[in-house]
Amino acid sequence: MIENMASKILSLSRKSPARYPTARKRRRPLSRDTILRAALKLIEDEGFDNFSMRHLGRALNIEAMSIYHHFASKDDLLNGLLGLLGQERIKLLESITENSNSDDSWKKKIRLYLSAFRTVGRAYPEAFRLLAQRPVTTPESGKAGKMYMDAIVETGLRGHDAVIAYRTILCFASGFVLLENAKTKPFYTTGSFDLEYEKGTELILTGIEQCLQNRASPSRPKKPITSRKAGG
């Protein structure tokens, strides 16, 4: 009986931090990368609209104000997340470039680049809104954008035609993945997002090809219109 009472007292004493204080577990020092990856996970777990610095502080087990030692504002942190997503995109694009042959067509390269864009969007459906809707403000986003533009320039398009092709491709990809991530059934659908993305990409590439053919074929000069004199 005394042993039982002793074990109960010992058990209670172990649970009492006031009587038997324990050393605090050392936290890993905070860094920008640690905070960004925690923010990315939180956004994916709780949703982009529910994200706040206070929630992030709680997830990191720190005061929210500590985050501002690494980021000037919430906007600065969101730009950091945009850069993090840009890094993910660049890894995929560079992998495609390293594994491609010089004989690969521009159509194949753009097709693979668009596939990489969708891969990142589906991996981070909540945070993807930053990539699709936020202005390009980070070096990573700028580098990824240049890789897309370089692929378009390889087609032979130049000037406004290249810019319009670039805008068309990325607007299609961004809008498509946003709709896919929303998980709402479109009014008109084949029932397969994979099929629609593939065929939509092919339509754009066919349009670029047609544009190149039109530029290559010389236009016939129009014959001047002459008026016949009366009585002639």
Side-chain angles (χ1 to χ4, degrees):
M1 185 174 177
I2 294 174
E3 289 177 357
N4 289 339
M5 287 179 64
S7 63
K8 285 182 180 179
I9 292 170
L10 183 59
S11 175
L12 288 171
S13 67
R14 284 174 178 167
K15 293 179 182 178
S16 173
R19 192 173 297 178
Y20 295 95
T22 56
R24 284 189 176 183
K25 190 177 180 180
R26 273 190 169 183
R27 276 200 305 257
R28 288 177 59 189
L30 279 181
S31 65
R32 282 180 63 93
D33 187 69
T34 302
I35 294 171
L36 286 174
R37 294 195 180 278
L40 185 59
K41 184 178 185 308
L42 187 64
I43 287 173
E44 293 305 322
D45 289 345
E46 298 187 2
F48 184 82
D49 292 330
N50 296 321
F51 176 74
S52 71
M53 300 295 263
R54 183 168 55 84
H55 289 172
L56 178 57
R58 188 184 305 152
L60 289 165
N61 196 28
I62 60 171
E63 293 293 332
M65 290 304 296
S66 299
I67 299 170
Y68 292 101
H69 293 301
H70 301 270
F71 297 92
S73 62
K74 181 181 177 180
D75 198 60
D76 185 30
L77 186 140
L78 293 178
N79 283 336
L81 283 173
L82 185 60
L84 192 62
L85 292 174
Q87 289 174 20
E88 296 292 324
R89 203 158 40 129
I90 288 168
K91 285 178 188 175
L92 287 173
L93 296 178
E94 288 179 339
S95 175
I96 290 169
T97 303
E98 288 171 5
N99 294 316
S100 62
N101 301 316
S102 56
D103 296 334
D104 286 345
S105 67
W106 59 265
K107 291 177 76 172
K108 180 180 179 181
K109 184 175 286 188
I110 293 176
R111 196 181 293 114
L112 288 171
Y113 276 17
L114 281 177
S115 176
F117 190 87
R118 185 179 179 219
T119 297
V120 173
R122 295 174 73 183
Y124 306 101
E126 288 292 329
F128 178 75
R129 287 166 55 180
L130 289 169
L131 197 60
Q133 300 172 336
R134 200 168 179 83
V136 176
T137 55
T138 66
E140 294 86 358
S141 296
K143 182 177 179 180
K146 186 178 183 305
M147 293 177 78
Y148 282 107
M149 179 57 85
D150 288 346
I152 291 169
V153 169
E154 282 185 26
T155 68
L157 292 178
R158 296 291 184 274
H160 285 175
D161 287 341
V163 172
I164 291 168
Y166 172 87
R167 295 275 294 152
T168 301
I169 286 170
L170 288 190
C171 285
F172 161 73
S174 298
F176 190 99
V177 177
L178 282 172
L179 178 63
E180 183 177 15
N181 287 343
K183 302 191 184 305
T184 56
K185 186 177 180 181
F187 191 76
Y188 293 107
T189 178
T190 64
S192 170
F193 279 111
D194 291 342
L195 175 66
E196 291 167 5
Y197 196 76
E198 178 187 342
K199 295 300 182 183
T201 300
E202 289 305 316
L203 284 173
I204 293 173
L205 297 180
T206 301
I208 292 175
E209 196 169 42
Q210 185 62 54
C211 180
L212 292 169
Q213 289 175 1
N214 292 343
R215 290 178 58 183
S217 58
S219 56
R220 295 180 180 178
K222 294 182 179 179
K223 292 182 178 180
I225 299 174
T226 57
S227 59
R228 299 180 62 184
K229 293 182 180 178

